[in-house]
Amino acid sequence: MNLAKLESTAREMVSGGRGILAMDESTGTCTSRFDKLGVPSTEENRLSYRSMLVTAEGLSEFISGAILFDETIRQSVNGDTPFATYLNDAGIVPGIKVDTGAKALAGHPGEKVTEGLDGLRERLQEYVSLGARFAKWRAVITIGDGIPSDACLMANAHGLARYAALCQEADVVPIVEPEVLMDGGHSIEQCRDVTHRTLKTVFQQLDNQGVVLSGIVLKPNMVLSGKECTEQAGVDEVARQTVDCFLDCVPASVPGVAFLSGGQTDEQATQHLNKMNQLGLNLPWYLTFSYGRALQQAPMKAWSGDNSKTVEVHQQILQRAEVNALASQGAV
Ligand code: 13P
């Protein structure tokens, strides 16, 4: 393991007032997003849209890294330059989603465990040869009646830790993503408790597997009211509860926290991040973004399957990237 390399890549991903573009939707997820716009999810369409996203001039001013899907890392931007090469040359660190999805956890109705450890060492070698410098693995935790169970938290945290250790062995920075979902009628306090339990379990398991925390990036949910909760916490409360929870659970040696947007509106995702960075606390980690939907909703809509809309798509992605880059500095 080349620790100096891991640490410098991790820092590059989270610092400098920039954040990460999550464009690693699996084909299934991408298809459901395209369906809403009435666009057929063909390989060609996915390539055209994703080529448009990364060719926005000046994107690297706001975006430090981009997470790709297996299909994309094997494709070339507009058919010319491989995605990872193109991004690297543009000053954006290329990364790859390596989990194979969240599957039903046996014996635990309503709960999931993320799979993808089998053959991961070999797959990482191939992704490194294709240019990937970091990876992502997403665990999904649902809040509900009597859940999450300890079994679900343990299984997911163990998977994340085994994945992270394999990444570091290959000099690939692991993005460790335990996502407590917004879905449901739970209160912000319930989200805080579950996020707390989740993060504690994840860091115990990372420690167990010998993962070096200075060479990871944490990608968590924010502490939010459930989507269907009648009482919605405001921006100040979300910022305060999220930072309080993290100060309790996230060791100072982690270089950065890059939040997922998780179904928040574009505006909420920006405001929450901005407020956390405005609290004036001397936090030990950078707080930035690794948004999928909150960066891509607007440009994807502007495209809507029409490849003549390059200017509009570029305008939208740059706008979303810039405002979130400002939020990562508390400057909105
Ligand atoms: P969202 O920001 O849309 O939640 O996506 C981030 C991501 O990469 C989920 O794994």
Side-chain angles (χ1 to χ4, degrees):
M1 180 188 5
N2 181 342
L3 185 56
K5 182 177 169 189
L6 286 170
E7 288 178 341
S8 93
T9 304
R11 261 198 316 275
E12 186 178 347
M13 289 162 64
V14 293
S15 63
R18 300 193 298 167
I20 298 165
L21 167 62
M23 48 180 289
D24 60 320
E25 298 82 7
S26 64
T27 302
T29 303
C30 196
T31 301
S32 69
R33 307 248 156 100
F34 280 14
D35 278 353
K36 287 193 186 116
L37 300 168
V39 180
S41 180
T42 59
E43 186 176 343
E44 201 185 335
N45 273 340
R46 292 190 293 272
L47 174 60
S48 302
Y49 166 67
R50 287 168 167 157
S51 293
M52 265 190 209
L53 275 187
V54 301
T55 50
E57 182 89 32
L59 190 64
S60 65
E61 206 183 312
F62 317 117
I63 296 295
S64 56
I67 318 173
L68 305 173
F69 182 57
D70 180 81
E71 175 183 89
T72 319
I73 202 168
R74 300 173 192 283
Q75 291 172 326
S76 291
V77 177
N78 293 324
D80 296 329
T81 312
F83 267 84
T85 309
Y86 185 94
L87 289 166
N88 243 325
D89 291 351
I92 297 174
V93 185
I96 180 76
K97 168 194 177 76
V98 300
D99 68 71
T100 55
K103 310 283 158 61
L105 178 64
H108 293 81
E111 298 195 285
K112 292 190 163 164
V113 62
T114 299
E115 296 189 346
L117 286 174
D118 287 354
L120 182 55
R121 176 176 277 129
E122 292 72 27
R123 287 199 292 130
L124 280 167
Q125 285 310 325
E126 190 194 4
Y127 287 137
V128 166
S129 75
L130 292 169
R133 293 167 55 201
F134 73 90
K136 179 191 110 168
W137 175 292
R138 171 176 177 252
V140 184
I141 310 296
T142 304
I143 302 180
D145 223 4
I147 61 171
S149 63
D150 287 342
C152 172
L153 295 184
M154 282 294 287
N156 277 295
H158 180 78
L160 277 167
R162 297 265 310 279
Y163 139 82
L166 282 163
C167 286
Q168 291 194 334
E169 179 186 272
D171 297 330
V172 168
V173 171
I175 290 189
V176 173
E177 180 178 4
E179 175 175 6
V180 177
L181 295 174
M182 279 176 83
D183 304 327
H186 56 267
S187 64
I188 187 168
E189 287 78 18
Q190 281 171 290
C191 178
R192 186 205 144 99
D193 290 348
V194 172
T195 302
H196 195 276
R197 269 172 74 204
T198 302
L199 291 174
K200 285 282 181 198
T201 313
V202 166
F203 282 102
Q204 264 163 21
Q205 290 290 320
L206 290 173
D207 185 46
N208 248 322
Q209 296 298 326
V211 174
V212 183
L213 298 184
S214 56
I216 73 164
V217 169
L218 180 69
K219 174 165 174 167
N221 55 285
M222 296 179 191
V223 174
L224 302 163
S225 314
K227 250 192 219 151
E228 283 89 50
C229 181
T230 45
E231 214 167 295
Q232 289 290 315
V235 175
D236 289 356
E237 194 181 357
V238 168
R240 174 64 68 178
Q241 294 256 24
T242 304
V243 168
D244 277 357
C245 177
F246 284 37
L247 282 170
D248 234 25
C249 303
V250 182
S253 48
V254 172
V257 173
F259 289 100
L260 57 94
S261 60
Q264 300 178 62
T265 64
D266 291 359
E267 180 113 322
Q268 286 169 334
T270 303
Q271 283 186 2
H272 290 151
L273 178 62
N274 188 52
K275 181 52 81 175
M276 284 184 234
N277 281 305
Q278 278 183 349
L279 289 175
L281 301 168
N282 202 7
L283 300 172
W285 355 262
Y286 288 101
L287 294 184
T288 188
F289 59 92
S290 175
Y291 294 160
R293 281 161 284 180
L295 285 173
Q296 287 194 58
Q297 250 146 206
M300 195 185 284
K301 188 151 187 276
W303 170 65
S304 287
D306 182 348
N307 292 336
S308 72
K309 298 280 188 193
T310 309
V311 173
E312 292 83 350
V313 171
H314 286 178
Q315 253 169 13
Q316 293 298 328
I317 184 64
L318 288 170
Q319 233 171 56
R320 296 302 309 144
E322 180 174 17
V323 74
N324 287 303
L326 287 170
S328 77
Q329 304 162 76
V332 175

